[in-house]
Amino acid sequence: MADTLSALNCQVPEFSAAMTGDKEFHLSNYAGKNLVIYFYPKDNTPGCTTESIAFRDLYPQFESANTEIFGISRDSLRSHEGFKKKLDLPFELISDPDETLCLLFNVMKMKNMYGKQARGIERSTFVIDATGKLVKEWRGVKVAGHVDEVLEFVSAKT
């Protein structure tokens, strides 16, 4: 597996990871579908909750656009299961405690948190098309209106 993705319109290398529902994510299992993969800093925090609810509420429209959604953070599967249940999310969450996927997608950044420098996930969203190519990325995402923009992008691709 490559250390980081190199560029838009390049094939995403095969990867796998543990996810909620006692399942294992394998990129190759989703050939023929668009994937929205959103990285968020932490379960049960205000921005991450708002973003996840927005993806939940528009999930049927994403499905209509032949698109699956996956959320990724460094939280444990146990934390993810609770977050998913609490918000009634219809999609799976991927646990990345060792930052393998965070590094692949290059989302780890130094951030200011309460006046201190801390290393964390930069809220980012990626679209992988039905052929496995990275076709769109949003970095440093502001939650308001973001999910509508992602839906608009994937809907235009179908």
Side-chain angles (χ1 to χ4, degrees):
M1 180 162 70
D3 288 339
T4 60
L5 289 174
S6 53
L8 285 174
N9 299 313
C10 287
Q11 287 296 125
V12 176
E14 174 64 36
F15 66 88
S16 60
M19 65 181 174
T20 51
D22 237 1
K23 298 176 189 166
E24 184 85 10
F25 177 94
H26 296 276
L27 182 62
S28 56
N29 289 352
Y30 298 95
K33 282 191 167 281
N34 298 311
L35 299 182
V36 169
I37 298 177
Y38 72 101
F39 285 83
Y40 63 96
K42 190 150 184 55
D43 290 343
N44 295 303
T45 56
C48 301
T49 297
T50 300
E51 182 179 28
S52 295
I53 287 171
F55 275 117
R56 176 197 72 195
D57 291 350
L58 292 175
Y59 186 70
Q61 289 94 312
F62 279 99
E63 281 187 310
S64 294
N66 190 36
T67 303
E68 283 295 325
I69 299 169
F70 296 92
I72 301 179
S73 80
R74 297 180 299 173
D75 293 302
S76 68
L77 280 174
R78 183 174 178 196
S79 175
H80 275 350
E81 290 289 2
F83 187 56
K84 182 179 179 219
K85 184 176 183 185
K86 178 178 164 186
L87 299 182
D88 195 26
L89 301 178
F91 50 84
E92 304 300 337
L93 300 175
I94 297 171
S95 178
D96 190 30
D98 60 4
E99 301 177 2
T100 303
L101 301 180
C102 291
L103 295 173
L104 175 66
F105 285 88
N106 194 26
V107 298
M108 296 304 296
K109 301 288 180 219
M110 289 306 291
K111 299 158 58 168
N112 281 315
M113 300 194 48
Y114 310 110
K116 293 183 180 163
Q117 286 282 311
R119 194 167 161 276
I121 291 176
E122 177 183 47
R123 189 181 310 281
S124 305
T125 302
F126 301 88
V127 177
I128 300 170
D129 75 5
T131 69
K133 285 185 182 164
L134 179 67
V135 293
K136 182 71 173 164
E137 61 180 38
W138 291 265
R139 294 180 180 272
V141 167
K142 301 289 182 240
V143 174
H146 173 64
V147 175
D148 294 310
E149 192 179 334
V150 176
L151 179 60
E152 190 176 309
F153 179 82
V154 297
S155 295
K157 291 196 64 56
T158 54

